[in-house]
């Protein structure tokens, strides 16, 4: 099993798919790295040699991926929160940041719906 930047690549997958397990590597950067190294995108991740793994690591040096990218994004969000701008306030409250509606939907950001107790009926009060 190949380990790149602290992440184990998934087994039995084509390299064009397996390389996307790295945070910040999508289809475009993955294809670019594999082309630069000269690895067939259809090659199985099981068949990767140690030398090819080293070449992939070296090719990824030019890109911001994994821990550095996570840190950069976290600092950007922290800066927005500290500024108190609209986007920062939305991040603080855990609401959608990019203008989506919240009357319905937005469950990914808001979390699961919480039921609010309704009015007590007159019968229950007597």
């Amino acid at each position: 099993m190949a380990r790149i930047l602290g992440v184990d690549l998934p087994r039995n997958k084509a390299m064009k798919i397996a390389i996307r397990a790295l945070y910040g590597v999508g289809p475009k950067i993955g294809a670019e790295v594999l082309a630069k190294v000269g690895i067939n995108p259809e090659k199985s991740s099981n068949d990767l040699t140690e030398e090819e793994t080293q070449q992939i690591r070296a090719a990824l040096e030019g890109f911001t991926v994994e821990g550095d990218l996570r840190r950069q994004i976290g600092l950007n969000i922290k800066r927005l929160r500290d500024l108190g701008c609209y986007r920062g306030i939305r991040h603080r409250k855990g609401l959608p940041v990019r203008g989506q509606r919240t009357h319905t939907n937005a469950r990914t950001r808001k979390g699961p719906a919480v039921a609010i107790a309704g009015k007590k009926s007159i019968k229950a009060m007597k």
Side-chain angles (χ1 to χ4, degrees), residues 86-87 90-91 94-110:
Y86 181 78
R87 282 174 55 203
R90 302 295 283 184
H91 273 293
L95 293 169
V97 178
R98 297 183 177 178
Q100 297 92 329
R101 65 182 287 122
T102 57
H103 178 71
T104 59
N105 301 333
R107 283 289 138 216
T108 303
R109 286 289 297 185
K110 291 168 79 174

Side-chain angles (χ1 to χ4, degrees), residues 47-65:
D47 302 335
L48 212 58
T49 64
E50 188 58 39
E51 182 183 317
E52 290 171 331
T53 307
Q54 292 292 339
Q55 290 174 335
I56 291 173
R57 281 191 200 112
L60 284 169
E61 293 285 321
F63 298 99
T64 308
V65 291

Side-chain angles (χ1 to χ4, degrees), residues 6 13 26 31-32 37 44 46 55 58 69 90-91 94 101-102 115:
K13 295 217 180 227
E32 204 173 302
V37 176
S44 175
N46 287 347
Q55 290 174 335
L69 182 60
R90 302 295 283 184
H91 273 293
R101 65 182 287 122
T102 57

Side-chain angles (χ1 to χ4, degrees), residues 5 22-25 29 60-61 63-70:
L5 299 173
L22 301 170
Y23 187 80
V25 178
I29 291 177
L60 284 169
E61 293 285 321
F63 298 99
T64 308
V65 291
E66 273 305 318
D68 293 336
L69 182 60
R70 290 180 200 268

